[in-house]
Amino acid sequence: MSCVKVYTELHLIAAQEGLLKNLNFPVNETSFSPAKTRRHIHRKDVIFTISKIAYGGVVFFLAHDKEDMDVKNELLSGLTSTPKYIPGWYRYDKEGSRLNDLCLQENENYYFHRCEMNILKANLKSMCSSDVKNSILVDMGSGNCEKTRLFIDHLLLNQEKLDFYPIDISQEFLLDTCRKLSAEYAGRLDIFPIAADYETGINKLSTCSQTKVILWFGSIQSLEAADQIRKLQMLKKTMTRDCQLIFSVDITQNRESVMKAYSDFHARQLYMNSIWRLIRDENCDVDPDNFEMEVDFIKNNSADTMSFVQVLIRAKQANSFTLLWVSPWR
């Protein structure tokens, strides 16, 4: 049976109910039932279940049921747009992934990661379906696989070996993580790393017919709301009735908590890695001190609009630099 579960002590805010509706998962207008109860919703001929386990302001959804990105063209498109921007994924090279890990460990105000880990440790067994034996494991935006290890350990209780497909934009960091996992699990884990953006990774998954447990922790919320929905719809097409999707989002609406989390020194270091990577990889003559970061929390209660954190890196004065691989006649 296909299934969607929600794990939080808070009711889904209107925006997240809107997300489920946009995915064609009808949600009752009333708030969710108390912890450890569930109710059914329907999508066409497939039954979905929503349930709730009480914890902090994090929602876990459990759902049963292109060519590789051209980095240079994507970067050039952003830098020649009005206003100019650097794609969010660009900051996640090996150094950016390291800074992200450091932020999760050292940023005392970043509540989201701690809530995720606490939920997983307390509820992992109830999250996984009883019929996931002989399934493969997929991790969207795998990073250092800290949370993924909990699922690897759980799945290996019921099967001798496990095929694991980690998807991450940073190839170097991804391969480092895979080497560590191979050493830890000594032959019980067959790893098939996919160093790619989410869309390319999902397209590669579409060729895999095995039963999948798909994880997508936190990083889904770095996408625009419409893109979140589109990516989830793409994932849905790769899934059968026996597959399971688990993803988490932050539904915290407390402005002070959010601003502290994203204004921390370590968070700023992570976001500024976009500029530092330009200098490292493209040999751009850019002064990092010429940029400052602005953070704002845009709160929305509409069913059609999500709240979001806006992070801007503004130049204090005009910048001009050359990308050596761009043709002057372009």
Side-chain angles (χ1 to χ4, degrees), residues 59-257:
V59 180
F60 275 76
F61 296 89
L62 280 74
H64 295 234
D65 196 341
K66 158 179 180 173
E67 295 293 322
D68 288 356
M69 179 176 55
D70 188 327
V71 172
K72 286 181 168 32
N73 278 339
E74 291 281 340
L75 181 59
L76 183 61
S77 176
L79 292 174
T80 55
S81 296
T82 303
K84 301 185 187 308
Y85 67 91
I86 299 175
W89 49 261
Y90 187 72
R91 65 179 174 269
Y92 290 104
D93 59 352
K94 183 177 182 180
E95 175 63 9
S97 298
R98 185 191 70 82
L99 289 170
N100 182 69
D101 283 356
L102 191 62
C103 182
L104 297 181
Q105 297 165 12
E106 302 295 336
N107 184 352
E108 296 180 355
N109 296 310
Y110 192 63
Y111 52 85
F112 184 66
H113 176 69
R114 292 193 301 275
C115 286
E116 282 185 307
M117 289 300 296
N118 287 332
I119 291 172
L120 290 174
K121 290 176 179 178
N123 302 292
L124 181 66
K125 191 173 181 179
S126 64
M127 283 183 168
C128 287
S129 300
S130 58
D131 55 354
V132 295
K133 187 176 181 180
N134 297 322
S135 61
I136 66 170
L137 182 64
V138 178
D139 192 357
M140 304 283 293
S142 52
N144 65 6
C145 291
E146 179 184 7
K147 294 182 281 287
T148 320
R149 283 172 168 83
L150 300 175
F151 285 86
I152 293 173
D153 292 341
H154 179 78
L155 292 171
L156 285 176
L157 292 175
N158 298 305
Q159 57 193 76
E160 186 62 29
K161 294 190 71 173
L162 175 66
D163 288 352
F164 176 44
Y165 293 77
I167 300 173
D168 200 276
I169 195 70
S170 174
Q171 178 173 322
E172 194 174 359
F173 192 84
L174 173 62
L175 295 180
D176 282 349
T177 300
C178 290
R179 281 190 284 268
K180 293 175 183 176
L181 287 172
S182 293
E184 288 177 35
Y185 289 95
R188 297 196 66 193
L189 194 66
D190 288 336
I191 308 175
F192 305 89
I194 301 175
D197 60 290
Y198 293 133
E199 187 160 332
T200 301
I202 294 171
N203 285 336
K204 291 181 183 297
L205 287 179
S206 65
T207 64
C208 178
S209 60
Q210 294 167 273
T211 299
K212 295 179 280 290
V213 176
I214 305 173
L215 311 177
W216 199 349
F217 295 127
S219 59
I220 185 176
Q221 61 194 20
S222 65
L223 305 176
E224 297 286 345
D227 202 24
Q228 290 183 31
I229 294 169
R230 192 171 71 86
K231 295 294 193 297
L232 289 172
Q233 289 172 333
M234 289 178 64
L235 273 176
K236 178 71 172 115
K237 292 178 181 178
T238 73
M239 299 170 67
T240 66
R241 290 173 64 96
D242 296 323
C243 293
Q244 190 174 25
L245 165 65
I246 306 173
F247 69 96
S248 60
V249 294
D250 186 354
I251 63 169
T252 304
Q253 295 290 286
N254 183 294
R255 178 181 176 81
E256 182 180 359
S257 296

